[in-house]
Structures are given as C-alpha cells and as structure tokens.
Amino acid sequence: MRGAVNLDNVVNNMKNIDFLRFDVMGDDRGALVALEQFRQIPFDIKRVYYIFDTRHGVDRGKHAHRNLEQVLICVNGSCTIVLDDGSSVKEVKLDYPDQGLYIGKNIWREMKNFSQGCVLMVLANQYYDEHEYIRSYDEFKQSLKS
Ligand code: T46
C-alpha cells in the first residue's frame, strides 16, 4: 500500500485537513494529472512553489498559518508531513503525485524524511506574506484559544 498510513483515516479526525486524490490520465506514454482551481483544488490558486534538493535528515516547516490554505503534492519521491491541530499530532507520508494534502489555517506543520529527489509542490490561495506565519509554537497554542 502506498503511504505510511491510510491518509483518509488520518485527515478525517482533524479539522482544516483534507486528503485529495487526483485522477490520473495515463496511457502507454505515461501519466498526467491536471489541477484546476475550484475543481481539484478547493480554492483560488494565487501561488505555486516547490521544495527540492533537500539535504538528508533536514526538517522544514515548523510553523502555522493564520488564514492561508494550501495543497501539498509530492510530485516526485516522498516525504512525511507532521500535522498538529493543537490537540492531536498526526504524520502522513506523501509518496505519489496523485495525492494532495489540503492544509487550512491554524495547523502547525513540519516536513521531514525527504527522499532523494523529492519534489514537494505546494499550491496556495494567497501571495507570500511573512506576517501570515506563526513561527512560535507558544503563539500557535495561544492563537487557538482566541
Ligand atoms: C509551508 C510549507 C509547506 C518566499 O519568498 N516565497 C514563498 O512563497 C515561500 C513559501 C517562501 N519564501 C521564502 C521565505 C524564506 O526566506 O523562502 C524561504 C524559505 O521559506 P520557509 O523557511 O518558510 O520554507 P518551509 O519549507 O519551512 O515552509 C514552506 C512554506 O513557507 C510554508 O508556507 O506551509 O512550506
């Protein structure tokens, strides 16, 4: 089975998290996935970025967002996403390009276990804004109370 765990089970129990499975159009030439806003992606796509060439053992993320919504897709290789909604912590492994992990606001996330050649693509509903980040875990916990 692909993935460390059944992603549906993980995300069903956490708010502001959803697991998306994209249709793959394949033939004897290979495979293709198409992503369109408000169709496969549940928001207006304002920004796309991707993370690659990560060093062995490196961890990234370690922050939450105040309002940003994103979909993470591992288009090559694999990585683990740690999700924390303030009351529970779950890990999901993304390891195939037909999987999308929707992460809404107020979720502390970390990315780790990047495989060789991993490319993690992220679609976001807002332009980059550093003020949108909550980079302190204490502040994250505090923000959940308000
Ligand atoms: C997230 C996870 C999944 C920009 O200039 N524009 C951008 O759109 C982004 C995303 C980053 N940057 C700059 C800010 C930093 O100087 O790129 C540098 C690395 O960003 P950061 O340390 O925030 O990267 P990660 O991998 O820890 O987190 C990123 C996203 O920032 C974050 O929103 O949810 O990927």
Side-chain angles (χ1 to χ4, degrees):
M1 191 181 82
R2 294 194 311 242
V5 290
N6 183 323
L7 297 186
D8 290 302
N9 288 346
V10 168
V11 301
N12 281 348
N13 297 325
M14 293 184 93
K15 68 174 187 184
N16 297 340
I17 297 290
D18 201 4
F19 174 55
L20 312 174
R21 180 81 80 177
F22 308 124
D23 288 339
V24 178
M25 290 162 277
D27 56 34
D28 55 11
R29 297 169 300 167
L32 184 154
V33 170
L35 304 175
E36 297 178 329
Q37 61 187 25
F38 302 123
R39 291 183 173 169
Q40 296 84 1
I41 302 301
F43 51 69
D44 190 5
I45 302 168
K46 287 266 177 45
R47 179 164 53 108
V48 177
Y49 61 92
Y50 37 92
I51 295 165
F52 62 102
D53 261 359
T54 49
R55 278 180 290 118
H56 181 71
V58 81
D59 295 343
R60 303 188 64 117
K62 301 184 181 178
H63 58 253
H65 284 286
R66 300 178 200 284
N67 289 297
L68 185 70
E69 297 175 72
Q70 303 192 106
V71 172
L72 280 59
I73 304 162
C74 199
V75 292
N76 192 61
S78 64
C79 64
T80 301
I81 314 295
V82 184
L83 302 163
D84 179 349
D85 66 2
S87 52
S88 64
V89 179
K90 302 276 172 58
E91 287 195 4
V92 299
K93 184 177 182 183
L94 296 178
D95 61 358
Y96 203 74
D98 71 346
Q99 302 167 338
L101 181 65
Y102 168 88
I103 308 180
K105 63 181 181 178
N106 290 331
I107 300 288
W108 188 264
R109 85 285 316 267
E110 299 183 14
M111 301 93 81
K112 63 181 187 179
N113 298 338
F114 291 92
S115 71
Q116 179 116 25
C118 175
V119 181
L120 179 64
M121 183 174 77
V122 183
L123 312 181
N125 76 333
Q126 293 179 18
Y127 298 119
Y128 176 70
D129 176 6
E130 184 57 36
H131 298 109
E132 233 288 323
Y133 286 71
I134 303 173
R135 293 196 183 267
S136 146
Y137 191 76
D138 287 344
E139 189 190 339
F140 164 65
K141 292 288 278 186
Q142 204 57 39
S143 74
L144 295 175
K145 294 179 187 158
S146 53

